[in-house]
Amino acid sequence: MSEALPGESVEDKSLGELVALASRDVSALVRAEIDLAKLELKADAKKAAYGSVMFTIAALIGGLIVILLSIALAYGLVAVGLSHWLSFLVVAGIYLLLAAGLIGFGYLRMRKIEGAKRTRRTLKDDFAALRHRGDSDTPALTD
């Protein structure tokens, strides 16, 4: 392929050469944009990984805090006058009620999942249009 040299005029090039130069330049530009996107995504992925590690450590610490506060609550109930076994049973019962409430809430939210109804409908319509294409004199895609 010929290139436009610094001293050479673009008017001296044929149409085919100009199209070849333009397509090469567009191709190089697209490759450069893809390389830039890869670099940016790699940097973002590193930041996301670091952030997720921090969230995981915070969740672990939060779990330990919940355990310690649960023990403190149970011993607080002992200080009020309940026996040890009853105090820890009350704390366990509180967590049982909390878990049951969360399971119920999650179940209600899961029942609301529609399963991409619109996407299924449009895909079904698209396949139907493709199947009937050319089978009759009517156009395949109509408004």
Side-chain angles (χ1 to χ4, degrees):
M1 254 189 250
S2 63
E3 293 184 13
L5 299 173
E8 192 175 1
S9 174
V10 176
E11 290 85 19
D12 297 339
K13 298 284 184 185
S14 69
L15 181 62
E17 291 173 332
L18 291 174
V19 169
L21 284 172
S23 67
R24 188 195 70 214
D25 290 344
V26 168
S27 178
L29 179 64
V30 168
R31 269 189 246 109
E33 289 292 334
I34 290 173
D35 290 341
L36 177 62
K38 285 180 184 178
L39 288 173
E40 287 178 336
L41 289 174
K42 186 185 282 188
D44 287 346
K46 285 180 182 178
K47 291 175 187 174
Y50 184 74
S52 66
V53 167
M54 294 301 120
F55 282 129
T56 302
I57 293 171
L60 178 65
I61 292 171
L64 292 173
I65 290 170
V66 167
I67 291 170
L68 292 173
L69 289 176
S70 300
I71 293 170
L73 176 63
Y75 279 117
L77 292 174
V78 168
V80 170
L82 291 176
S83 62
H84 283 79
W85 67 270
L86 187 57
S87 299
F88 282 92
L89 190 63
V90 166
V91 172
I94 291 170
Y95 282 117
L96 180 67
L97 290 175
L98 178 64
L102 291 173
I103 288 171
F105 181 71
Y107 176 74
L108 291 176
R109 297 293 292 178
M110 294 293 280
R111 284 187 41 190
K112 291 182 181 181
I113 293 175
E114 296 177 353
K117 288 193 308 192
R118 285 185 286 179
T119 302
R120 283 186 296 186
R121 186 182 69 237
T122 58
L123 282 175
K124 184 179 173 185
D125 293 344
D126 291 345
F127 285 131
L130 289 174
R131 275 192 213 109
H132 296 299
R133 186 176 187 194
D135 289 347
S136 66
D137 293 334
T138 60
L141 299 175
T142 58
D143 290 334

PDB file of all heavy atoms in Angstrom, residues 3-39:
ATOM      1  N   GLU A   3       1.674   5.125   0.946  1.00  0.00           N
ATOM      2  CA  GLU A   3       1.370   6.068   2.015  1.00  0.00           C
ATOM      3  C   GLU A   3       1.555   7.483   1.496  1.00  0.00           C
ATOM      4  O   GLU A   3       2.320   7.731   0.574  1.00  0.00           O
ATOM      5  CB  GLU A   3       2.296   5.841   3.204  1.00  0.00           C
ATOM      6  CG  GLU A   3       2.072   4.528   3.903  1.00  0.00           C
ATOM      7  CD  GLU A   3       2.958   4.405   5.133  1.00  0.00           C
ATOM      8  OE1 GLU A   3       3.537   5.409   5.564  1.00  0.00           O
ATOM      9  OE2 GLU A   3       3.062   3.294   5.658  1.00  0.00           O
ATOM     10  N   ALA A   4       0.848   8.390   2.135  1.00  0.00           N
ATOM     11  CA  ALA A   4       1.042   9.795   1.806  1.00  0.00           C
ATOM     12  C   ALA A   4       2.275  10.274   2.541  1.00  0.00           C
ATOM     13  O   ALA A   4       2.278  10.354   3.755  1.00  0.00           O
ATOM     14  CB  ALA A   4      -0.180  10.611   2.189  1.00  0.00           C
ATOM     15  N   LEU A   5       3.316  10.533   1.805  1.00  0.00           N
ATOM     16  CA  LEU A   5       4.560  10.990   2.404  1.00  0.00           C
ATOM     17  C   LEU A   5       4.446  12.467   2.744  1.00  0.00           C
ATOM     18  O   LEU A   5       3.615  13.180   2.178  1.00  0.00           O
ATOM     19  CB  LEU A   5       5.718  10.726   1.451  1.00  0.00           C
ATOM     20  CG  LEU A   5       5.943   9.243   1.109  1.00  0.00           C
ATOM     21  CD1 LEU A   5       7.006   9.119   0.035  1.00  0.00           C
ATOM     22  CD2 LEU A   5       6.333   8.468   2.343  1.00  0.00           C
ATOM     23  N   PRO A   6       5.299  12.981   3.639  1.00  0.00           N
ATOM     24  CA  PRO A   6       5.185  14.381   4.050  1.00  0.00           C
ATOM     25  C   PRO A   6       5.257  15.377   2.900  1.00  0.00           C
ATOM     26  O   PRO A   6       4.545  16.355   2.870  1.00  0.00           O
ATOM     27  CB  PRO A   6       6.342  14.567   5.023  1.00  0.00           C
ATOM     28  CG  PRO A   6       6.648  13.203   5.528  1.00  0.00           C
ATOM     29  CD  PRO A   6       6.295  12.261   4.420  1.00  0.00           C
ATOM     30  N   GLY A   7       6.087  15.126   1.887  1.00  0.00           N
ATOM     31  CA  GLY A   7       6.221  16.068   0.790  1.00  0.00           C
ATOM     32  C   GLY A   7       5.248  15.816  -0.339  1.00  0.00           C
ATOM     33  O   GLY A   7       5.157  16.576  -1.284  1.00  0.00           O
ATOM     34  N   GLU A   8       4.513  14.718  -0.258  1.00  0.00           N
ATOM     35  CA  GLU A   8       3.644  14.305  -1.349  1.00  0.00           C
ATOM     36  C   GLU A   8       2.249  14.906  -1.180  1.00  0.00           C
ATOM     37  O   GLU A   8       1.737  15.009  -0.079  1.00  0.00           O
ATOM     38  CB  GLU A   8       3.559  12.777  -1.352  1.00  0.00           C
ATOM     39  CG  GLU A   8       2.939  12.203  -2.580  1.00  0.00           C
ATOM     40  CD  GLU A   8       3.003  10.686  -2.559  1.00  0.00           C
ATOM     41  OE1 GLU A   8       3.515  10.119  -1.583  1.00  0.00           O
ATOM     42  OE2 GLU A   8       2.537  10.081  -3.501  1.00  0.00           O
ATOM     43  N   SER A   9       1.613  15.242  -2.240  1.00  0.00           N
ATOM     44  CA  SER A   9       0.283  15.840  -2.218  1.00  0.00           C
ATOM     45  C   SER A   9      -0.772  14.750  -2.274  1.00  0.00           C
ATOM     46  O   SER A   9      -0.613  13.730  -2.954  1.00  0.00           O
ATOM     47  CB  SER A   9       0.120  16.773  -3.417  1.00  0.00           C
ATOM     48  OG  SER A   9      -1.196  17.254  -3.481  1.00  0.00           O
ATOM     49  N   VAL A  10      -1.865  14.955  -1.567  1.00  0.00           N
ATOM     50  CA  VAL A  10      -2.955  13.990  -1.541  1.00  0.00           C
ATOM     51  C   VAL A  10      -3.657  13.959  -2.896  1.00  0.00           C
ATOM     52  O   VAL A  10      -4.180  12.935  -3.308  1.00  0.00           O
ATOM     53  CB  VAL A  10      -3.954  14.344  -0.405  1.00  0.00           C
ATOM     54  CG1 VAL A  10      -5.141  13.420  -0.410  1.00  0.00           C
ATOM     55  CG2 VAL A  10      -3.261  14.300   0.925  1.00  0.00           C
ATOM     56  N   GLU A  11      -3.599  15.066  -3.627  1.00  0.00           N
ATOM     57  CA  GLU A  11      -4.255  15.129  -4.929  1.00  0.00           C
ATOM     58  C   GLU A  11      -3.610  14.179  -5.936  1.00  0.00           C
ATOM     59  O   GLU A  11      -4.220  13.820  -6.937  1.00  0.00           O
ATOM     60  CB  GLU A  11      -4.233  16.567  -5.478  1.00  0.00           C
ATOM     61  CG  GLU A  11      -5.127  17.535  -4.740  1.00  0.00           C
ATOM     62  CD  GLU A  11      -4.455  18.121  -3.514  1.00  0.00           C
ATOM     63  OE1 GLU A  11      -3.216  18.085  -3.397  1.00  0.00           O
ATOM     64  OE2 GLU A  11      -5.182  18.599  -2.628  1.00  0.00           O
ATOM     65  N   ASP A  12      -2.356  13.776  -5.701  1.00  0.00           N
ATOM     66  CA  ASP A  12      -1.650  12.873  -6.610  1.00  0.00           C
ATOM     67  C   ASP A  12      -2.089  11.428  -6.437  1.00  0.00           C
ATOM     68  O   ASP A  12      -1.729  10.582  -7.250  1.00  0.00           O
ATOM     69  CB  ASP A  12      -0.141  12.961  -6.389  1.00  0.00           C
ATOM     70  CG  ASP A  12       0.400  14.344  -6.712  1.00  0.00           C
ATOM     71  OD1 ASP A  12      -0.273  15.072  -7.459  1.00  0.00           O
ATOM     72  OD2 ASP A  12       1.485  14.689  -6.194  1.00  0.00           O
ATOM     73  N   LYS A  13      -2.854  11.124  -5.412  1.00  0.00           N
ATOM     74  CA  LYS A  13      -3.273   9.752  -5.118  1.00  0.00           C
ATOM     75  C   LYS A  13      -4.538   9.419  -5.897  1.00  0.00           C
ATOM     76  O   LYS A  13      -5.395  10.273  -6.137  1.00  0.00           O
ATOM     77  CB  LYS A  13      -3.559   9.569  -3.630  1.00  0.00           C
ATOM     78  CG  LYS A  13      -2.379   9.800  -2.734  1.00  0.00           C
ATOM     79  CD  LYS A  13      -1.461   8.622  -2.820  1.00  0.00           C
ATOM     80  CE  LYS A  13      -0.314   8.822  -1.841  1.00  0.00           C
ATOM     81  NZ  LYS A  13       0.662   7.775  -1.966  1.00  0.00           N
ATOM     82  N   SER A  14      -4.667   8.140  -6.243  1.00  0.00           N
ATOM     83  CA  SER A  14      -5.893   7.689  -6.899  1.00  0.00           C
ATOM     84  C   SER A  14      -6.960   7.467  -5.841  1.00  0.00           C
ATOM     85  O   SER A  14      -6.686   7.431  -4.628  1.00  0.00           O
ATOM     86  CB  SER A  14      -5.636   6.390  -7.656  1.00  0.00           C
ATOM     87  OG  SER A  14      -5.406   5.336  -6.734  1.00  0.00           O
ATOM     88  N   LEU A  15      -8.186   7.286  -6.269  1.00  0.00           N
ATOM     89  CA  LEU A  15      -9.297   7.083  -5.348  1.00  0.00           C
ATOM     90  C   LEU A  15      -9.097   5.805  -4.537  1.00  0.00           C
ATOM     91  O   LEU A  15      -9.336   5.769  -3.338  1.00  0.00           O
ATOM     92  CB  LEU A  15     -10.626   7.035  -6.111  1.00  0.00           C
ATOM     93  CG  LEU A  15     -11.870   6.854  -5.267  1.00  0.00           C
ATOM     94  CD1 LEU A  15     -12.038   8.023  -4.308  1.00  0.00           C
ATOM     95  CD2 LEU A  15     -13.099   6.696  -6.138  1.00  0.00           C
ATOM     96  N   GLY A  16      -8.630   4.766  -5.190  1.00  0.00           N
ATOM     97  CA  GLY A  16      -8.380   3.499  -4.497  1.00  0.00           C
ATOM     98  C   GLY A  16      -7.326   3.647  -3.423  1.00  0.00           C
ATOM     99  O   GLY A  16      -7.440   3.093  -2.323  1.00  0.00           O
ATOM    100  N   GLU A  17      -6.276   4.399  -3.711  1.00  0.00           N
ATOM    101  CA  GLU A  17      -5.223   4.622  -2.720  1.00  0.00           C
ATOM    102  C   GLU A  17      -5.736   5.451  -1.547  1.00  0.00           C
ATOM    103  O   GLU A  17      -5.395   5.185  -0.392  1.00  0.00           O
ATOM    104  CB  GLU A  17      -4.027   5.321  -3.365  1.00  0.00           C
ATOM    105  CG  GLU A  17      -3.267   4.450  -4.343  1.00  0.00           C
ATOM    106  CD  GLU A  17      -2.190   5.220  -5.087  1.00  0.00           C
ATOM    107  OE1 GLU A  17      -2.342   6.441  -5.262  1.00  0.00           O
ATOM    108  OE2 GLU A  17      -1.199   4.583  -5.474  1.00  0.00           O
ATOM    109  N   LEU A  18      -6.566   6.441  -1.839  1.00  0.00           N
ATOM    110  CA  LEU A  18      -7.138   7.261  -0.767  1.00  0.00           C
ATOM    111  C   LEU A  18      -8.058   6.440   0.130  1.00  0.00           C
ATOM    112  O   LEU A  18      -8.039   6.575   1.354  1.00  0.00           O
ATOM    113  CB  LEU A  18      -7.887   8.463  -1.353  1.00  0.00           C
ATOM    114  CG  LEU A  18      -7.024   9.530  -2.011  1.00  0.00           C
ATOM    115  CD1 LEU A  18      -7.895  10.576  -2.675  1.00  0.00           C
ATOM    116  CD2 LEU A  18      -6.091  10.161  -1.000  1.00  0.00           C
ATOM    117  N   VAL A  19      -8.862   5.574  -0.471  1.00  0.00           N
ATOM    118  CA  VAL A  19      -9.755   4.705   0.314  1.00  0.00           C
ATOM    119  C   VAL A  19      -8.927   3.754   1.162  1.00  0.00           C
ATOM    120  O   VAL A  19      -9.231   3.510   2.337  1.00  0.00           O
ATOM    121  CB  VAL A  19     -10.730   3.940  -0.615  1.00  0.00           C
ATOM    122  CG1 VAL A  19     -11.460   2.856   0.139  1.00  0.00           C
ATOM    123  CG2 VAL A  19     -11.705   4.904  -1.266  1.00  0.00           C
ATOM    124  N   ALA A  20      -7.860   3.204   0.593  1.00  0.00           N
ATOM    125  CA  ALA A  20      -6.984   2.302   1.352  1.00  0.00           C
ATOM    126  C   ALA A  20      -6.340   3.028   2.521  1.00  0.00           C
ATOM    127  O   ALA A  20      -6.251   2.491   3.634  1.00  0.00           O
ATOM    128  CB  ALA A  20      -5.924   1.709   0.439  1.00  0.00           C
ATOM    129  N   LEU A  21      -5.887   4.262   2.295  1.00  0.00           N
ATOM    130  CA  LEU A  21      -5.287   5.053   3.381  1.00  0.00           C
ATOM    131  C   LEU A  21      -6.314   5.342   4.468  1.00  0.00           C
ATOM    132  O   LEU A  21      -6.024   5.228   5.665  1.00  0.00           O
ATOM    133  CB  LEU A  21      -4.732   6.370   2.834  1.00  0.00           C
ATOM    134  CG  LEU A  21      -3.414   6.302   2.070  1.00  0.00           C
ATOM    135  CD1 LEU A  21      -3.109   7.645   1.428  1.00  0.00           C
ATOM    136  CD2 LEU A  21      -2.291   5.886   2.997  1.00  0.00           C
ATOM    137  N   ALA A  22      -7.524   5.712   4.057  1.00  0.00           N
ATOM    138  CA  ALA A  22      -8.565   6.030   5.035  1.00  0.00           C
ATOM    139  C   ALA A  22      -8.953   4.796   5.844  1.00  0.00           C
ATOM    140  O   ALA A  22      -9.094   4.860   7.070  1.00  0.00           O
ATOM    141  CB  ALA A  22      -9.787   6.613   4.336  1.00  0.00           C
ATOM    142  N   SER A  23      -9.099   3.654   5.179  1.00  0.00           N
ATOM    143  CA  SER A  23      -9.484   2.440   5.914  1.00  0.00           C
ATOM    144  C   SER A  23      -8.372   2.000   6.859  1.00  0.00           C
ATOM    145  O   SER A  23      -8.641   1.524   7.956  1.00  0.00           O
ATOM    146  CB  SER A  23      -9.849   1.323   4.940  1.00  0.00           C
ATOM    147  OG  SER A  23      -8.721   0.904   4.215  1.00  0.00           O
ATOM    148  N   ARG A  24      -7.112   2.163   6.443  1.00  0.00           N
ATOM    149  CA  ARG A  24      -5.997   1.819   7.329  1.00  0.00           C
ATOM    150  C   ARG A  24      -5.992   2.728   8.553  1.00  0.00           C
ATOM    151  O   ARG A  24      -5.790   2.281   9.681  1.00  0.00           O
ATOM    152  CB  ARG A  24      -4.675   1.935   6.580  1.00  0.00           C
ATOM    153  CG  ARG A  24      -3.502   1.402   7.399  1.00  0.00           C
ATOM    154  CD  ARG A  24      -2.175   1.819   6.851  1.00  0.00           C
ATOM    155  NE  ARG A  24      -2.044   3.253   7.091  1.00  0.00           N
ATOM    156  CZ  ARG A  24      -1.428   4.102   6.287  1.00  0.00           C
ATOM    157  NH1 ARG A  24      -0.877   3.678   5.178  1.00  0.00           N
ATOM    158  NH2 ARG A  24      -1.344   5.378   6.568  1.00  0.00           N
ATOM    159  N   ASP A  25      -6.235   4.026   8.331  1.00  0.00           N
ATOM    160  CA  ASP A  25      -6.251   4.965   9.449  1.00  0.00           C
ATOM    161  C   ASP A  25      -7.414   4.690  10.397  1.00  0.00           C
ATOM    162  O   ASP A  25      -7.254   4.765  11.614  1.00  0.00           O
ATOM    163  CB  ASP A  25      -6.319   6.399   8.926  1.00  0.00           C
ATOM    164  CG  ASP A  25      -5.011   6.833   8.245  1.00  0.00           C
ATOM    165  OD1 ASP A  25      -3.991   6.148   8.453  1.00  0.00           O
ATOM    166  OD2 ASP A  25      -5.054   7.840   7.517  1.00  0.00           O
ATOM    167  N   VAL A  26      -8.574   4.369   9.842  1.00  0.00           N
ATOM    168  CA  VAL A  26      -9.734   4.047  10.684  1.00  0.00           C
ATOM    169  C   VAL A  26      -9.460   2.778  11.479  1.00  0.00           C
ATOM    170  O   VAL A  26      -9.758   2.687  12.670  1.00  0.00           O
ATOM    171  CB  VAL A  26     -11.011   3.920   9.830  1.00  0.00           C
ATOM    172  CG1 VAL A  26     -12.141   3.294  10.629  1.00  0.00           C
ATOM    173  CG2 VAL A  26     -11.420   5.281   9.300  1.00  0.00           C
ATOM    174  N   SER A  27      -8.851   1.791  10.821  1.00  0.00           N
ATOM    175  CA  SER A  27      -8.515   0.541  11.503  1.00  0.00           C
ATOM    176  C   SER A  27      -7.521   0.787  12.637  1.00  0.00           C
ATOM    177  O   SER A  27      -7.674   0.244  13.740  1.00  0.00           O
ATOM    178  CB  SER A  27      -7.940  -0.447  10.498  1.00  0.00           C
ATOM    179  OG  SER A  27      -7.566  -1.637  11.134  1.00  0.00           O
ATOM    180  N   ALA A  28      -6.530   1.621  12.397  1.00  0.00           N
ATOM    181  CA  ALA A  28      -5.550   1.945  13.447  1.00  0.00           C
ATOM    182  C   ALA A  28      -6.217   2.698  14.591  1.00  0.00           C
ATOM    183  O   ALA A  28      -5.913   2.449  15.769  1.00  0.00           O
ATOM    184  CB  ALA A  28      -4.406   2.769  12.859  1.00  0.00           C
ATOM    185  N   LEU A  29      -7.132   3.597  14.254  1.00  0.00           N
ATOM    186  CA  LEU A  29      -7.846   4.340  15.289  1.00  0.00           C
ATOM    187  C   LEU A  29      -8.698   3.407  16.144  1.00  0.00           C
ATOM    188  O   LEU A  29      -8.706   3.511  17.373  1.00  0.00           O
ATOM    189  CB  LEU A  29      -8.724   5.418  14.646  1.00  0.00           C
ATOM    190  CG  LEU A  29      -9.545   6.271  15.597  1.00  0.00           C
ATOM    191  CD1 LEU A  29      -8.636   7.082  16.503  1.00  0.00           C
ATOM    192  CD2 LEU A  29     -10.476   7.179  14.812  1.00  0.00           C
ATOM    193  N   VAL A  30      -9.394   2.469  15.514  1.00  0.00           N
ATOM    194  CA  VAL A  30     -10.228   1.521  16.266  1.00  0.00           C
ATOM    195  C   VAL A  30      -9.356   0.665  17.176  1.00  0.00           C
ATOM    196  O   VAL A  30      -9.691   0.441  18.347  1.00  0.00           O
ATOM    197  CB  VAL A  30     -11.056   0.649  15.298  1.00  0.00           C
ATOM    198  CG1 VAL A  30     -11.694  -0.520  16.009  1.00  0.00           C
ATOM    199  CG2 VAL A  30     -12.113   1.500  14.602  1.00  0.00           C
ATOM    200  N   ARG A  31      -8.206   0.188  16.650  1.00  0.00           N
ATOM    201  CA  ARG A  31      -7.303  -0.608  17.481  1.00  0.00           C
ATOM    202  C   ARG A  31      -6.783   0.193  18.669  1.00  0.00           C
ATOM    203  O   ARG A  31      -6.683  -0.320  19.779  1.00  0.00           O
ATOM    204  CB  ARG A  31      -6.125  -1.120  16.651  1.00  0.00           C
ATOM    205  CG  ARG A  31      -6.406  -2.467  16.038  1.00  0.00           C
ATOM    206  CD  ARG A  31      -5.157  -3.064  15.405  1.00  0.00           C
ATOM    207  NE  ARG A  31      -5.386  -3.126  13.967  1.00  0.00           N
ATOM    208  CZ  ARG A  31      -4.789  -2.361  13.069  1.00  0.00           C
ATOM    209  NH1 ARG A  31      -3.874  -1.507  13.408  1.00  0.00           N
ATOM    210  NH2 ARG A  31      -5.085  -2.474  11.798  1.00  0.00           N
ATOM    211  N   ALA A  32      -6.466   1.458  18.440  1.00  0.00           N
ATOM    212  CA  ALA A  32      -5.978   2.310  19.530  1.00  0.00           C
ATOM    213  C   ALA A  32      -7.064   2.530  20.582  1.00  0.00           C
ATOM    214  O   ALA A  32      -6.788   2.503  21.795  1.00  0.00           O
ATOM    215  CB  ALA A  32      -5.498   3.652  18.977  1.00  0.00           C
ATOM    216  N   GLU A  33      -8.294   2.722  20.137  1.00  0.00           N
ATOM    217  CA  GLU A  33      -9.403   2.887  21.084  1.00  0.00           C
ATOM    218  C   GLU A  33      -9.631   1.617  21.897  1.00  0.00           C
ATOM    219  O   GLU A  33      -9.886   1.670  23.101  1.00  0.00           O
ATOM    220  CB  GLU A  33     -10.687   3.272  20.341  1.00  0.00           C
ATOM    221  CG  GLU A  33     -10.687   4.665  19.781  1.00  0.00           C
ATOM    222  CD  GLU A  33     -10.706   5.740  20.841  1.00  0.00           C
ATOM    223  OE1 GLU A  33     -11.194   5.491  21.961  1.00  0.00           O
ATOM    224  OE2 GLU A  33     -10.203   6.842  20.559  1.00  0.00           O
ATOM    225  N   ILE A  34      -9.534   0.467  21.252  1.00  0.00           N
ATOM    226  CA  ILE A  34      -9.703  -0.811  21.965  1.00  0.00           C
ATOM    227  C   ILE A  34      -8.590  -0.999  22.984  1.00  0.00           C
ATOM    228  O   ILE A  34      -8.830  -1.432  24.114  1.00  0.00           O
ATOM    229  CB  ILE A  34      -9.765  -1.980  20.962  1.00  0.00           C
ATOM    230  CG1 ILE A  34     -11.081  -1.926  20.185  1.00  0.00           C
ATOM    231  CG2 ILE A  34      -9.609  -3.320  21.666  1.00  0.00           C
ATOM    232  CD1 ILE A  34     -11.178  -2.924  19.058  1.00  0.00           C
ATOM    233  N   ASP A  35      -7.356  -0.671  22.603  1.00  0.00           N
ATOM    234  CA  ASP A  35      -6.235  -0.774  23.549  1.00  0.00           C
ATOM    235  C   ASP A  35      -6.431   0.155  24.747  1.00  0.00           C
ATOM    236  O   ASP A  35      -6.161  -0.233  25.887  1.00  0.00           O
ATOM    237  CB  ASP A  35      -4.907  -0.462  22.857  1.00  0.00           C
ATOM    238  CG  ASP A  35      -4.494  -1.549  21.876  1.00  0.00           C
ATOM    239  OD1 ASP A  35      -5.017  -2.679  21.993  1.00  0.00           O
ATOM    240  OD2 ASP A  35      -3.667  -1.256  20.991  1.00  0.00           O
ATOM    241  N   LEU A  36      -6.911   1.373  24.496  1.00  0.00           N
ATOM    242  CA  LEU A  36      -7.180   2.306  25.585  1.00  0.00           C
ATOM    243  C   LEU A  36      -8.264   1.769  26.507  1.00  0.00           C
ATOM    244  O   LEU A  36      -8.142   1.826  27.736  1.00  0.00           O
ATOM    245  CB  LEU A  36      -7.590   3.670  25.021  1.00  0.00           C
ATOM    246  CG  LEU A  36      -7.972   4.737  26.041  1.00  0.00           C
ATOM    247  CD1 LEU A  36      -6.787   5.064  26.940  1.00  0.00           C
ATOM    248  CD2 LEU A  36      -8.479   5.979  25.339  1.00  0.00           C
ATOM    249  N   ALA A  37      -9.319   1.210  25.915  1.00  0.00           N
ATOM    250  CA  ALA A  37     -10.399   0.645  26.729  1.00  0.00           C
ATOM    251  C   ALA A  37      -9.889  -0.514  27.580  1.00  0.00           C
ATOM    252  O   ALA A  37     -10.262  -0.644  28.748  1.00  0.00           O
ATOM    253  CB  ALA A  37     -11.543   0.180  25.833  1.00  0.00           C
ATOM    254  N   LYS A  38      -9.021  -1.357  27.009  1.00  0.00           N
ATOM    255  CA  LYS A  38      -8.458  -2.471  27.777  1.00  0.00           C
ATOM    256  C   LYS A  38      -7.656  -1.975  28.970  1.00  0.00           C
ATOM    257  O   LYS A  38      -7.761  -2.520  30.073  1.00  0.00           O
ATOM    258  CB  LYS A  38      -7.568  -3.334  26.883  1.00  0.00           C
ATOM    259  CG  LYS A  38      -8.309  -4.219  25.933  1.00  0.00           C
ATOM    260  CD  LYS A  38      -7.325  -5.029  25.100  1.00  0.00           C
ATOM    261  CE  LYS A  38      -7.999  -5.876  24.061  1.00  0.00           C
ATOM    262  NZ  LYS A  38      -7.025  -6.614  23.231  1.00  0.00           N
ATOM    263  N   LEU A  39      -6.829  -0.950  28.731  1.00  0.00           N
ATOM    264  CA  LEU A  39      -6.026  -0.404  29.826  1.00  0.00           C
ATOM    265  C   LEU A  39      -6.903   0.179  30.930  1.00  0.00           C
ATOM    266  O   LEU A  39      -6.648  -0.033  32.121  1.00  0.00           O
ATOM    267  CB  LEU A  39      -5.062   0.662  29.293  1.00  0.00           C
ATOM    268  CG  LEU A  39      -3.894   0.164  28.465  1.00  0.00           C
ATOM    269  CD1 LEU A  39      -3.130   1.341  27.863  1.00  0.00           C
ATOM    270  CD2 LEU A  39      -2.966  -0.696  29.301  1.00  0.00           C
TER     271      LEU A  39
END
